[in-house]
Amino acid sequence: MAPADDASLSTAPDAAAVRSLAVPSDGAAETGPGTVVWHRTDLRIADNPALAAAAAASDRVLPVFVFDPGFHDERGAACDARIEFLHDCLRDLDRQYRDVGGAGLTYAHGDPLDVLGRFVDAGWDVVAGATATGRYGRRRDDRAREELGVRFVAGDGLVRDADRPRDGWSDRVESWFASEPFDWDPRSVAVERVETGVDPDRVAGAYGVDSTKTRVPTGGRGPAREKLDAFTERIAGYPGSISSPVDAREGTSGLSPYLRFGCLSVREVHRHVDERAPDGRGKSMFVSRLFWNRHYTQKLLDWPGWLDEAVNPVYRGFNRDRHDPELVAAWKRGETGFPMVDASMRCLRETGWLNFRMRALCASVYFHVLQQPWRIGADHFFEHLIDGDAAINYTQWQSQCGLVGRPGLRLYDPRKQVRDQDPDGEFVTRWVPELDPLPAAHLDAPEKTPLAVQRETGVRIGEAYPYPVVDYEAARSEFRDRYGAVHGAAAARLADEEIARRASLSGGLGAARTIAADHGDARDPEEADAATATQTDLADFG
């Protein structure tokens, strides 16, 4: 995206417009300021802790969303399709406020602290939902709290301000799921709005937002509820649909982007499924996924560094010295010579979607087989996924790559995944059409296709489709040796309370100490750190 034209889209609202809010539109005497509800990723009016808190504290509330140049311009890490989905969600949020008799949502633009500071200077309070975030978002929220007195309201089921947040965590989250949603009475407050001249269409034009992705869902609470209702009716088939990239497109819930932007709360999805879905494996499996959603978000809350560096210091910089831009580019383009990986990467780029099994496969091949630095891959996924959630994306990447120090390594065989998940070649040939003439029996390893078959079908491996960019067996073996050489030292580091807290294991510090005792070796951990060090400054690669 291009930077906005400052002349056409300046910081808004201006201070005069904010001051004018002191006088109601009916010309009555000044009633004084109220409370601004700063929406970020909680784009709904139901079960919204910040909105409920604002309505309880004031008889005037002003919901606002700030279009932040740090998110929309070239510095942002979101594809145009995710921006467009967000804009759909905002239009829907505006309708939600109007549907309950409010004036609608105030759209603002600029540095959020500059925008909110104008309200604070005019006497308004500001509340926002507390979120787990990292990098820019964490620094922004810290400044908003310290400089403007913004009150961040928790209510997302995560454990905050506890010395050991994982102690009794499951019971706490289960209790939160069962608790009543946050509520407010629109009749008891005036929902105000200030005209700013800013709206999603104008922002999209100013920043050149123009997605070319296909099959992108429509954002907003209305479409989200429709998907939730439809999925609840077919939930029995969920277990059999999650692994195949063909079946998962329609067989999974499709709710992840709506949860990412808070069109629905995780709790209301849980309640809906708990009350309306038939009992069975599908229901229990999906409910467990909602717990996992909270689990991985808790991880980022416990340690924001998940986005930037390996949890376990022993793995910091692992694969750094093997960074090969050409290999990374082939992986991103979907030209690795491993058909299931290539189909998945092309699907990701064109649609912004990929089912969980294929995400794990692509991450595994990238880190374990191509042996490339993890953060480049994780950032690429985060850019293109419509449901890109920092907490889930980066913690899952680190877990899949094996950067925590837990025993076991989830190393996927890309050829086996074709045989298991796409035996007829429907997914592979949809996204890698150059392989369509080949019989399905050869799609797991096209490079092994007999020359006679290649001539007959016109698919020349090395011409129409590349040979594998690395030898899979040799690369996997090499990685296992390198990884295994330091894993004992990595497991031992989990005995360090600071590292254990970073890892934020579901079993808490006790689970980390058990891993250290059972799988750690006696080597000085500093030796393992040195073994993975490099003289090249590639800090951005984690």
Side-chain angles (χ1 to χ4, degrees), residues 43-81:
L43 306 182
R44 63 184 185 278
I45 67 172
D47 198 20
N48 186 317
L51 177 55
S58 174
D59 59 4
R60 300 178 73 201
V61 299
L62 187 141
V64 62
F65 181 88
V66 183
F67 292 100
D68 184 346
F71 183 71
H72 278 72
D73 66 18
E74 74 276 5
R75 295 169 294 169
C79 64
D80 282 359

Side-chain angles (χ1 to χ4, degrees), residues 91 170 250 389 404 476 508:
R91 296 184 189 96
S170 294
E250 301 299 333
D389 181 309
V404 178
R476 181 180 68 168

Side-chain angles (χ1 to χ4, degrees), residues 232-363:
T232 303
E233 294 181 358
R234 64 174 192 274
I235 200 169
Y238 177 67
S241 302
I242 60 176
S243 295
S244 163
V246 175
D247 296 340
R249 170 63 79 169
E250 301 299 333
T252 53
S253 71
L255 292 173
S256 57
Y258 301 97
L259 293 174
R260 182 260 183 267
F261 285 106
C263 302
L264 300 170
S265 74
V266 178
R267 176 165 56 187
E268 65 179 314
V269 171
H270 179 277
R271 173 165 293 195
H272 183 97
V273 170
D274 184 56
E275 293 178 351
R276 304 188 186 190
D279 291 337
R281 185 163 173 255
K283 177 178 179 178
S284 62
M285 182 179 287
F286 181 74
V287 167
S288 74
R289 296 305 192 271
L290 297 178
F291 275 87
W292 281 108
N293 175 289
R294 296 294 81 196
H295 167 71
Y296 282 104
T297 308
Q298 182 75 51
K299 283 181 176 290
L300 184 60
L301 181 64
D302 291 345
W303 187 59
W306 280 93
L307 278 62
D308 298 306
E309 62 182 273
V311 170
N312 197 305
V314 172
Y315 295 127
R316 193 169 297 158
F318 205 86
N319 285 347
R320 232 185 235 180
D321 57 339
R322 294 166 181 266
H323 177 229
D324 183 337
E326 292 186 4
L327 278 182
V328 173
W331 177 79
K332 288 181 177 181
R333 292 194 305 265
E335 297 176 359
T336 66
F338 298 110
M340 189 63 107
V341 174
D342 293 342
S344 296
M345 294 303 295
R346 297 183 195 186
C347 177
L348 171 67
R349 287 182 65 88
E350 183 170 322
T351 71
W353 174 88
L354 205 55
N355 68 316
F356 177 77
R357 175 63 67 90
M358 295 305 108
R359 297 186 197 195
L361 166 67
C362 292

Side-chain angles (χ1 to χ4, degrees), residues 38 40-41 68 112-113 116 128-152 160:
W38 180 20
R40 291 101 60 77
T41 57
D68 184 346
L113 268 69
L116 297 173
T131 59
T133 186
R135 295 181 184 167
Y136 170 77
R138 186 165 181 261
R139 295 191 298 271
R140 175 203 61 202
D141 288 359
D142 286 346
R143 288 181 57 216
R145 182 185 296 105
E146 295 166 5
E147 298 176 19
L148 301 179
V150 173
R151 179 162 65 103
F152 291 93
R160 293 175 170 83

Side-chain angles (χ1 to χ4, degrees), residues 81-142:
R82 188 151 93 236
I83 298 291
E84 290 184 346
F85 185 90
L86 164 66
H87 290 182
D88 287 343
C89 297
L90 292 171
R91 296 184 189 96
D92 188 271
L93 179 61
D94 178 61
R95 286 192 292 269
Q96 291 176 52
Y97 277 111
R98 294 177 187 275
D99 286 346
V100 296
L105 177 67
T106 292
Y107 297 116
H109 174 265
D111 182 323
L113 268 69
D114 290 343
V115 171
L116 297 173
R118 297 177 182 187
F119 288 97
V120 172
D121 290 344
W124 289 75
D125 296 322
V126 181
V127 300
T131 59
T133 186
R135 295 181 184 167
Y136 170 77
R138 186 165 181 261
R139 295 191 298 271
R140 175 203 61 202
D141 288 359
D142 286 346

